[in-house]
Each structure stands twice: as C-alpha cells, then as structure tokens.
Amino acid sequence: MKKWIIISIVIVVIGGATGWFLLGKKDQSQNVAAAVQTTTAQKGKLEVEVTGAGSVTAITDQDVTATNTILIVDSVSVASGDTVDKGDTLVTFKNGDVVTAPFDGDITTVSVKSGSGASQGTILLRMEDEDEITSPITRGDSSVSSDSPSSSLVVDTVSVKEGDVVAAGAPLVTFVDGSILKSPVPGTITSFSIASGDSVQSSETVAHITEYRTLQTTISVDELDITKVQVGQAAEITASAFKDETFEGKVTKVATEGTSSNGVSTFDITVQITDPKSLKIGMSTEASISIESKEDALYVPVEAVYSSKGEKYVLVSTTSNDSTQSTKKVSVETGISNDTYVEVTSGLAEGDSVQIPRVQSSGNTAQGGMMMPGGNFREGNGGGTPPAFSGGGAPSGGRQGEN
C-alpha cells in the first residue's frame, strides 16, 4: 500500500512540473509577439557619415625666434650682366654683413636693392659659372657675418606688446645692427619676453603668436572608417558650449599613422572650421564628416533587416481577406547604410509595412540574424537588445555599410 502512495505522489509532482513548463512557454510566446511593431519603407535623402569627438585648436600657433630676423641691405655692388671673380663683394648689409661671390662667373639677375630686407636664405641674386650653370646666391653664402647663429643681437626698439594683433610681416623688434624681426604669421601676440637693450640669442624664443580667427578641431576616427575619409570632405561640427548651433567645416588633414589602445586603432582627422563665430580654443566638439549621400533612396530602419545563411530579408506585414494580420519573409538587397537606416535596392516598395523589434525579453531567441548598425549582419540567434525605432529625425549619421 505504501508503494502505491509513493508512486501517486511522484506522478502528481511530474504532472505539475509539466503544466508549469507549458504555461511558461505560452507566456513567453505572448511576450515575443508583443515585442514587435511595424514601420513603412520610406523614400528620401540617405546620408552616411563618420563621426568623432575632439576639441578646438588654433591653426596658427607658433613661437617666434631671432632666427626670423631680416637684415636690411646697405649697398649692392653688382648689376645684371656683370662678370665677377670669386671673392668679389656682391651685397653689403647695414650690420656689416658682406656676401661675396662663391665662384667666378656672370651675374644673371639681381633681386635686391639698397633698403631691401633679406632673411636668412633669401635669394639675393643669381650667377652663371663657366659651365653655364646658374645658381642662386642667398644671404649667408660666403658671408663675413656678425650675425652668425652663435652670436647675439642687441635690441634697439620694440614695436609691439603682448595682446597686440599683428599681420604677417609686421615689424616686431629692431636690433642695433639694423636688422629687423618681423612677424612670420598673422595673429595675436600671446607672450613677449624682450625689451630695449636686451641681448637676444638667435635661437631664443622672443614671442608667441596665436591666430584666434582661424580654428580647427581634431577628432579620432575608428580604423574601419579612416579609409573613407579624404581631404576636402564637408563636415558639420557641434560644440558642447553651443548645443543649439552647428558649424561648417572641411577635412584638411588625414593622419597616415594611427594610435592603438586595447587592441583598437584610431586615426586623427583635422577639420578646419569655416566660421568659428564664438568658439574658443579648448572647447569640446563633435564632428560628422559626410562620406556618401543618395537622393530619393528607399530605406528602412537597420533593425528591420535580418540575415540568415547569406540571405538578407525583412518581415512584411500582410492582411488576408478575412482581415487576419500576418507576416511574410521577403528577400531584399541593400545599399548604403548608417547607424539608423539602410537602403533597400530591391525587394520592397515605398509604403510597404515591415516589422521591427521594439524590445526583447531575456532568454528569447530570434530566427536568422538582425542587421547591426553600419550595415553588418549578425547570423544566427540574435542576443542583446536591438535599438528601438524612434521614427523621427533625418536619415543620417553613422558608419558606411557594406553593400
């Protein structure tokens, strides 16, 4: 009698467990059914962009040293057509520097005159030797110079102060030997460190100039995107300090070497800001570089496209004669894509209703694979939560997909 009682109890337990499992499975199916919604295939402009974050910097930001000194010509001893011997005086500067003929030959052109300024390396004239080879003669060639790199210059007058805005070529300092230090670039003098009577070494930094009117931002781009970025491409820039404002720009430099961190390589892209307006150096920015766009493209959300065994497809909503709602699997071909939308080049028509997942409960599985942002398709069971379709907004942004 005890054995029968035991057997009866076991049967009840197993039966109860089976009933719970079936009920749980039924509820799970209901959850999956409720986790989808529909949208329609739309036509419009589809844009593909590469994005990155960075900060604002100045395009012109450099030190000024005494090597930028320009000497003033005192006298020119030759003219075009003259014949000279090696060692003959050609040009004399006000500080006593003398440039002499480095070889025998004929003077073909003279580029300076008394009162002219000549920086180190400036072509003063050209000479033709006995082999009829013409060579440029520059300041520093065969010179008897008091302005050698190791010498110092004595400041006579200072023409600017810190905070001044100067143009390229504007006089900054005049030295007692008659030479002049001029601004090599336009901008604002952010530091100035010499005064009248100071002795300045030729390699010494005497000022720093920053141009605040021409700004740029440098962003880091993933190695998968860098091959799509080229100099001259348009960019749209936003700044954290101006949330409701956008700035236009264009790519001016693409790094040829990347930086690797934790197995991921990134490359720097420099974008010049066309009109910086109120932007300031150091502000945080985000830039979107336009890679590709297509007018009148047919597109759907990326999560609407699945892939299984190399086939891409969507689930199209249909209504039968008795008003029963159902779906059918429709094979599609895709074109360009970004993080939000993918172009459908065949298989769908404008206005077709397709299913997209809204949420996905833990433990659920989906047949095939969901199309991931960037045009990459994931095969097999789709784990994780796909991005919800918001419906609004322009179809732009993100990484270019694979056709």
Side-chain angles (χ1 to χ4, degrees), residues 12-237:
V12 170
V13 171
I14 294 175
T18 304
W20 177 89
F21 174 77
L22 293 175
L23 179 61
K25 187 173 182 181
K26 181 179 179 181
D27 289 345
Q28 186 183 48
S29 299
Q30 290 174 345
N31 288 340
V32 172
V36 295
Q37 65 176 3
T38 61
T39 187
T40 57
Q42 305 175 57
K43 272 193 173 183
K45 184 178 181 180
L46 184 61
E47 294 184 314
V48 182
E49 298 173 336
V50 168
T51 61
S55 61
V56 177
T57 60
I59 294 176
T60 301
D61 188 40
Q62 71 178 70
D63 290 332
V64 181
T65 68
T67 55
N68 300 117
T69 301
I70 296 174
L71 296 180
I72 303 302
V73 176
D74 186 17
S75 62
V76 179
S77 303
V78 293
S80 297
D82 288 353
T83 298
V84 295
D85 295 327
K86 181 178 180 179
D88 285 353
T89 297
L90 304 178
V91 179
T92 303
F93 293 95
K94 285 188 176 180
N95 71 332
D97 278 7
V98 178
V99 176
T100 59
F103 52 81
D104 298 343
D106 297 329
I107 306 297
T108 58
T109 58
V110 177
S111 305
V112 293
K113 60 183 179 180
S114 180
S116 296
S119 59
Q120 193 73 28
T122 296
I123 296 176
L124 308 175
L125 48 86
R126 295 179 187 274
M127 287 183 60
E128 183 181 283
D129 62 17
E130 59 183 9
D131 296 323
E132 298 184 347
I133 297 175
T134 301
S135 302
I137 307 302
T138 65
R139 178 190 148 203
D141 287 342
S142 302
S143 297
V144 178
S145 176
S146 61
D147 183 35
S148 64
S150 60
S151 67
S152 61
L153 301 174
V154 178
V155 176
D156 183 15
T157 57
V158 176
S159 305
V160 294
K161 64 182 182 301
E162 185 174 327
D164 285 354
V165 178
V166 296
L172 304 179
V173 179
T174 302
F175 297 99
V176 294
D177 67 350
S179 61
I180 301 173
L181 176 62
K182 293 187 176 181
S183 172
V185 292
T188 300
I189 298 174
T190 56
S191 67
F192 202 84
S193 60
I194 58 175
S196 180
D198 287 352
S199 179
V200 179
Q201 297 294 324
S202 60
S203 59
E204 182 179 340
T205 298
V206 298
H208 188 90
I209 296 179
T210 301
E211 176 56 278
Y212 293 103
R213 294 168 295 185
T214 55
L215 303 178
Q216 63 187 14
T217 183
T218 301
I219 63 173
S220 293
V221 172
D222 188 273
E223 61 183 319
L224 298 178
D225 293 325
I226 190 64
T227 57
K228 307 179 186 78
V229 182
Q230 298 178 359
V231 171
Q233 287 175 330
E236 186 176 87
I237 302 148

Side-chain angles (χ1 to χ4, degrees), residues 258-316:
T259 301
S260 180
S261 177
N262 297 323
V264 177
S265 292
T266 58
F267 291 77
D268 285 344
I269 304 296
T270 303
V271 178
Q272 181 175 344
I273 304 170
T274 304
D275 182 7
K277 300 178 184 177
S278 300
L279 285 176
K280 297 184 182 299
I281 293 174
M283 285 184 171
S284 299
T285 59
E286 288 190 3
S288 298
I289 302 167
S290 180
I291 301 302
E292 187 176 4
S293 66
K294 185 176 290 188
E295 299 284 351
D296 203 31
L298 181 69
Y299 58 86
V300 295
V302 291
E303 58 266 37
V305 181
Y306 296 83
S307 178
S308 178
K309 299 179 180 178
E311 177 193 14
K312 300 172 189 176
Y313 64 91
V314 296
L315 300 177
V316 177

